[in-house]
Amino acid sequence: MIYIPKYHTVFIILLGAFLAVLSVSCNNYYDPAVYEKGTNEYTNSWILEQMKRYYLWNENLPENTSLSLKPEDYFKEMLYKGDRFSYAVYPSLPETAPQSIRNSYGFDISFAEYDGQTYGVILYVLADSPAERAGLKRGLFIKSINGTSLSSQNFENLYEAAASSSKLTLQLMQYSEADGFSDDGEIEIIRGFTFSNPISSKAILYENQKVGYIEISHFDIGLAGSLLSVFREFQNQSISKIIVDLRYNGGGDVSSAVALSIILAPNIKSDDLFITFRGNKNGGVVNKTFKEALVMNETQVSFEALRAVHPPIQEIFILTGSHTASASEIIINNLKPYMKVIVIGEKTVGKDVAGFAVEDNRISGERGWVLYPVIYKLFNAHNEGSYALGINPDIEINELQNIEVFPLGDIQETVLNKALNNRISAKGQKSMLVKKLTLHKTYDIDPFVQINSE
C-alpha cells in the first residue's frame, strides 16, 4: 500500500454532515458512550470512528461487532471481505506487525519441486541485511528450515513459522548444471533490521545494442538523486533500451516512483496527470500531476532535472514477479497512457490501493494502536486501474523454469534473457521439470513510508 498525505483539506462540508448524522445513531455503529482508558471498548470505539471516516469500504462496516473484542480481532472484523492489505499495529507489541521473512531477515524466498524433492530457493538478498551478513546469496537452495525438511505439504507452514521466529537455521544446497546439487552446509541467521535498499544498474552490450539494466528493491524517500546519477551514466553510454527489474520491489514511496516515471516517459509535461486517488465520499477524488506527485516527498531533485536524463526510448521493459506490488505496479499502470510498457515475468500482487497511518494519540506520552486502512483506489491518467487480481505480464515466464538460478543482471538469467532477445535459450527450454509452489497468503505487506502529512 502506498503512503500518501492525509487529506484534511478534502474533508469539507460532507464530513460535517456525515458525522452529524452518525451522532444520533443508537446502535453499535456509533456509540457515544465514554469508556475507561486502556479498555478494549476505549480502543475499539476509536477504531470504529476512524474506519467510518477513512476506510474505503466504510459503507460495508459490520453493525453488530462487539466492542469488547481484542483490538486486533475487532479491527479484522471491520475489514471488507476482499481487503488483503489493511492492518493494525500496537507499537509496544511487535508481534502485531505483519510478519515476513524479508522484513525479519532480509531475503526473499520461493519454493519449488524438482526431481521429487521440495526446496526453498533464495531469489533475493537485501544489502546489509542479516541474511547477507550470514552469507546467503541468490541461487542457493534450502533443504530444511529449523531442522524440518521441506515438503510440498509443509512449506507454507514452515515459512509462516520462520517469519515470526527470532532466528533461523537453514540447511543449504548449491546447484550447477555441471555438478548438480551439492551440500553447502548449515547457517544460522539472527532476526534483525535492514536499513539499506540500494539500486543496482549496469550497461549491457547485447547483439550490438546498448541496454541499460536497473534493479530497484524498494522505492525509498530520496531515491530520485540515485536515479538521476544512474540515468546520467546511461546517457553517457548512449543507452537505447531500458530494462527495469521490479521483481522484488514491494512498493514504498510514491514520489520516488514518480521520479522514475518522469525520467522514463517521453514527451510529458509537468502538469500532465499522473495519478488519481479515489476514496470514499469523505475522501473524494484527489488528482496529482507528475510534478505534484513528485514534490509530495521528493523535493531535492526537480522535474526538469529528471527530464534532462530521459533516455531516447519510446517503450520500456519491466520485469515482474509474485513480489511486485504497490508503487511498482503504479509505474506499470500509470506509464501506459504515455508510452508502451512491456511487462515480462509473472503476475504481480495486485495492490491497487493507497493509505496512510492513523494513530491513536489520545493518551499523552503513550503510543496507542496505529491503523493502516485502505483509503484510496488508484487510477492512471486514462482512469484505468482495478488490478486487484494482479497485472498480467505481456510475456509470461517463470524465473524458476530452470533449476539453475543465475545472478540478477547476468544475461543468462531467465527473465532478463527473455527481455533481451524475446526468446528462451535452449538451456531454459529443458527446465519444465521444475514446479513452482505458491504461497497462498500475502505475507510481504509493504510498510508505510513516512511523508509530509500536510
Side-chain angles (χ1 to χ4, degrees):
M1 199 183 300
I2 311 301
Y3 192 99
I4 62 173
K6 294 186 180 180
Y7 49 82
H8 297 116
T9 56
V10 179
F11 290 119
I12 49 178
I13 299 173
L14 281 176
L15 179 59
F18 180 60
L19 294 179
V21 171
L22 287 174
S23 66
V24 299
S25 175
C26 297
N27 57 28
N28 189 41
Y29 202 76
Y30 181 80
D31 191 340
V34 177
Y35 298 104
E36 182 181 352
K37 292 180 180 180
T39 64
N40 289 343
E41 289 80 1
Y42 178 77
T43 298
N44 291 337
S45 61
W46 174 84
I47 291 175
L48 178 59
E49 181 181 352
Q50 308 315 308
M51 295 292 278
K52 287 187 296 184
R53 183 182 187 188
Y54 295 112
Y55 193 45
L56 179 65
W57 297 285
N58 62 350
E59 294 183 353
N60 298 104
L61 292 173
E63 297 186 12
N64 299 310
T65 302
S66 172
L67 292 174
S68 64
L69 290 173
K70 293 181 180 179
E72 55 191 309
D73 295 331
Y74 184 80
F75 181 78
K76 292 176 182 178
E77 289 287 329
M78 294 286 102
L79 299 184
Y80 178 66
K81 184 178 180 180
D83 180 3
R84 294 183 288 156
F85 303 117
S86 296
Y87 63 102
V89 175
Y90 193 64
S92 61
L93 296 175
E95 63 270 21
T96 61
Q99 305 291 321
S100 74
I101 285 179
R102 179 177 176 128
N103 290 343
S104 301
Y105 298 99
F107 69 97
D108 284 328
I109 182 175
S110 190
F111 297 90
E113 284 185 336
Y114 178 74
D115 198 23
Q117 298 293 319
T118 299
Y119 299 97
V121 188
I122 306 297
L123 295 178
Y124 196 84
V125 179
L126 291 168
D128 194 29
S129 65
E132 184 185 61
R133 292 190 288 271
L136 279 192
K137 61 183 180 179
R138 175 178 165 88
L140 286 175
F141 291 80
I142 299 173
K143 188 176 181 180
S144 70
I145 299 177
N146 291 338
T148 302
S149 297
L150 283 160
S151 72
S152 58
Q153 289 76 41
N154 70 7
F155 73 94
E156 187 149 20
N157 287 337
L158 286 178
Y159 179 99
E160 189 166 357
S164 59
S165 65
S166 59
K167 67 178 180 179
L168 290 180
T169 302
L170 305 178
Q171 184 68 41
L172 299 176
M173 307 283 289
Q174 291 194 49
Y175 178 89
S176 69
E177 187 173 292
D179 302 323
F181 280 102
S182 59
D183 193 347
D184 199 47
E186 186 176 272
I187 66 167
E188 183 177 274
I189 310 175
I190 305 299
R191 183 186 183 118
F193 295 102
T194 301
F195 298 101
S196 177
N197 290 293
I199 61 178
S200 175
S201 63
K202 65 188 298 185
I204 301 172
L205 181 61
Y206 192 82
E207 296 184 350
N208 298 317
Q209 185 178 27
K210 287 189 176 180
V211 180
Y213 169 83
I214 179 170
E215 182 272 316
I216 306 172
S217 63
H218 194 260
F219 286 104
D220 292 326
I221 296 172
L223 187 68
S226 298
L227 294 172
L228 195 63
S229 298
V230 167
F231 280 88
R232 188 178 289 126
E233 180 61 25
F234 283 169
Q235 274 190 338
N236 293 338
Q237 299 196 42
S238 302
I239 295 297
S240 59
K241 178 177 179 177
I242 299 293
I243 298 173
V244 181
D245 196 339
L246 300 177
R247 278 178 282 178
Y248 308 103
N249 189 316
D253 177 59
V254 66
S255 293
S256 62
V258 174
L260 177 61
S261 301
I262 291 171
I263 291 174
L264 295 174
N267 305 317
I268 61 167
K269 300 184 295 296
S270 62
D271 59 355
D272 286 334
L273 178 63
F274 177 72
I275 191 168
T276 294
F277 302 95
R278 186 167 293 128
N280 61 32
K281 63 182 180 181
N282 297 324
V285 176
V286 179
N287 294 313
K288 293 287 184 181
T289 65
F290 280 93
K291 185 173 183 178
E292 288 171 338
L294 177 69
V295 300
M296 286 194 302
N297 233 2
E298 290 281 0
T299 58
Q300 301 302 309
V301 180
S302 69
F303 175 90
E304 291 73 22
L306 294 168
R307 289 303 297 157
V309 297
H310 167 68
I313 59 172
Q314 296 295 317
E315 63 183 14
I316 182 70
F317 295 82
I318 298 181
L319 310 186
T320 63
S322 58
H323 296 275
T324 307
S326 197
S328 294
E329 292 170 302
I330 286 179
I331 288 176
I332 296 168
N333 187 60
N334 291 38
L335 277 178
K336 286 183 177 179
Y338 299 101
M339 68 188 305
K340 184 176 182 180
V341 179
I342 302 169
V343 180
I344 301 175
E346 298 177 87
K347 186 168 70 172
T348 66
V349 171
K351 193 180 290 187
D352 62 339
V353 293
F356 49 75
V358 182
E359 300 185 25
D360 184 0
N361 55 11
R362 293 173 295 169
I363 302 177
S364 178
E366 181 178 320
R367 292 195 67 190
W369 280 83
V370 183
L371 311 182
Y372 297 92
V374 168
I375 295 173
Y376 293 109
K377 279 279 191 177
L378 306 174
F379 300 87
N380 65 20
H382 287 171
N383 199 35
E384 297 164 334
S386 300
Y387 45 88
L389 297 179
I391 298 173
N392 290 310
D394 300 292
I395 302 172
E396 185 172 3
I397 183 169
N398 170 15
E399 68 178 315
L400 290 181
Q401 67 170 12
N402 192 330
I403 194 63
E404 187 170 8
V405 179
F406 291 95
L408 296 179
D410 188 320
I411 63 172
Q412 299 178 88
E413 194 275 313
T414 302
V415 184
L416 176 57
N417 184 265
K418 184 66 174 177
L420 288 169
N421 60 24
N422 278 356
R423 63 181 182 271
I424 302 175
S425 65
K427 180 180 287 188
Q429 289 177 345
K430 65 180 182 181
S431 62
M432 295 306 174
L433 296 174
V434 182
K435 178 184 177 182
K436 185 176 180 180
L437 302 176
T438 303
L439 292 167
H440 295 96
K441 181 180 175 182
T442 302
Y443 291 95
D444 288 312
I445 299 177
D446 192 72
F448 289 98
V449 178
Q450 183 78 28
I451 66 174
N452 186 0
S453 62
E454 296 302 322

